[in-house]
Amino acid sequence: MPGPFSFLSRKKPTSLPFKDYYENWFNTLKNTLLPLLHQSLSSPSPSLLPFRRDLLLQHFLFYYDSLDQAAAVDVSQILFPSWRNSLETPFLFLGDLHPYLFTNLLRSFIDAANNNKTQNPESLDKPYQVLTAWINPPEKLILRIEQIECGLRLMVPPLISRVRKVQAAFIRKVAEKWDSNGGFKKKGIREAVKAEMEEMLDVLMGANRLRRSVIIEIVNAANVYQGALFLEGLAQFLVGFKDTALVGEFRRCKMMMMMMDINGGGTHWGF
């Protein structure tokens, strides 16, 4: 189904709708690349690990390139992604995963490994380098993570500010073109929406550049085992969103919270 502003497309779409593309991309991630990487991480021979790590990295980067191309055709389909479920929505920022998620995910791996040092690596069925990849990481890696996080704190707020300015300008333009006798004129709506969509396309591409940059910088800062584990964790995070039981439970909890809010008159429950 075309997006709500598809009449403003810069060019005619010649490929699959992005929803179909994403499904194909996701299936390749889940059924091919993730198992291959997991196999290498479980193997005592690491010979294929760098290659399979890079395959998964390129898969993510190619996805963001495709996201940009789809947005150039119809940015509204990316800003309002119909292929995302209710479990994914809280993690989205300008059409895709929030860039903060990447560094938070990395931090969680390091914290989990260093808060659970009681396991004996020799007793577990994985190579020693994999089991100890996040234990006492080098100061150089921690410093690089902090630098990436600092960069995000500098770059994300301006993107949010630009979105607010675009929306404010859109509302102002629409209000200016309001005809008290005849309502909106279609031409006025088209002009206002076109200006907003062009600005939003630029903002969205900026967010995608940031996402690509963070993923690349994390992998480059890590060693081959850490980089592979980070990409594996990111892929598993995406796969987890499609768990039907988890999505169903999330919806049930959401419905219960809505009912509690209705019955309680919107009062604070003190949780």
Side-chain angles (χ1 to χ4, degrees):
M1 179 180 294
F5 305 116
S6 57
F7 61 88
L8 296 172
S9 298
R10 295 185 172 188
K11 54 186 176 182
K12 293 182 179 179
T14 57
S15 58
L16 285 173
F18 198 79
K19 181 178 181 180
D20 296 334
Y21 166 83
Y22 183 80
E23 183 177 349
N24 293 336
W25 180 89
F26 177 83
N27 288 336
T28 300
L29 175 77
K30 177 183 177 182
N31 301 324
T32 303
L33 298 179
L34 186 54
L36 284 174
L37 186 64
H38 182 73
Q39 183 184 65
S40 289
L41 284 168
S42 302
S43 171
S45 174
S47 58
L48 290 176
L49 183 58
F51 173 69
R52 290 175 174 176
R53 175 206 59 187
D54 291 345
L55 276 180
L56 189 51
L57 174 61
Q58 290 304 317
H59 193 60
F60 277 110
L61 299 182
F62 186 73
Y63 163 74
Y64 285 115
D65 290 342
S66 301
L67 198 66
D68 283 346
Q69 293 171 17
V73 173
D74 178 11
V75 68
S76 67
Q77 69 168 326
I78 307 303
L79 292 173
F80 311 106
S82 61
W83 55 91
R84 299 291 191 179
N85 61 44
S86 56
L87 191 59
E88 295 173 277
T89 303
F91 297 92
L92 300 183
F93 171 75
L94 289 171
D96 200 73
L97 295 177
H98 200 297
Y100 284 154
L101 180 113
F102 304 137
T103 52
N104 287 344
L105 196 62
L106 181 60
R107 287 278 190 185
S108 73
F109 297 150
I110 295 173
D111 291 344
N114 288 279
N115 291 333
N116 187 25
K117 296 181 180 179
T118 57
Q119 290 182 327
N120 180 8
E122 296 180 357
S123 67
L124 300 176
D125 189 24
K126 282 188 177 181
Y128 178 83
Q129 296 94 328
V130 173
L131 294 171
T132 60
W134 300 118
I135 296 177
N136 297 325
E139 187 66 27
K140 182 179 179 181
L141 176 61
I142 299 301
L143 179 61
R144 189 71 191 103
I145 295 172
E146 291 174 351
Q147 290 172 341
I148 295 171
E149 290 170 334
C150 181
L152 285 174
R153 288 193 292 271
L154 291 174
M155 289 182 277
V156 169
L159 289 173
I160 297 173
S161 178
R162 285 188 64 188
V163 171
R164 290 173 178 166
K165 290 179 180 178
V166 170
Q167 291 175 332
F170 174 69
I171 293 171
R172 185 177 64 254
K173 288 178 182 178
V174 169
E176 290 172 352
K177 294 180 181 298
W178 173 258
D179 183 345
S180 58
N181 296 320
F184 290 119
K185 292 183 179 180
K186 190 172 183 180
K187 181 179 179 181
I189 295 177
R190 283 177 178 269
E191 291 175 351
V193 171
K194 183 178 180 180
E196 183 190 27
M197 291 298 102
E198 288 180 347
E199 286 290 328
M200 288 304 301
L201 173 61
D202 191 55
V203 176
L204 184 142
M205 287 186 168
N208 284 342
R209 283 193 296 272
L210 186 56
R211 284 184 269 258
R212 275 190 295 260
S213 174
V214 172
I215 293 174
I216 291 172
E217 287 181 17
I218 288 174
V219 173
N220 286 343
N223 64 36
V224 65
Y225 293 99
Q226 293 166 339
L229 286 168
F230 166 73
L231 292 173
E232 181 191 44
L234 179 57
Q236 289 173 336
F237 191 80
L238 289 173
V239 170
F241 282 138
K242 304 300 182 183
D243 186 303
T244 53
L246 187 60
V247 172
E249 184 63 25
F250 178 81
R251 288 174 177 169
R252 283 192 293 272
C253 291
K254 185 177 179 181
M255 184 62 67
M256 289 178 62
M257 292 179 67
M258 291 174 63
M259 292 301 298
M260 290 171 63
D261 188 56
I262 291 172
N263 295 333
T267 55
H268 178 61
W269 290 83
F271 293 145

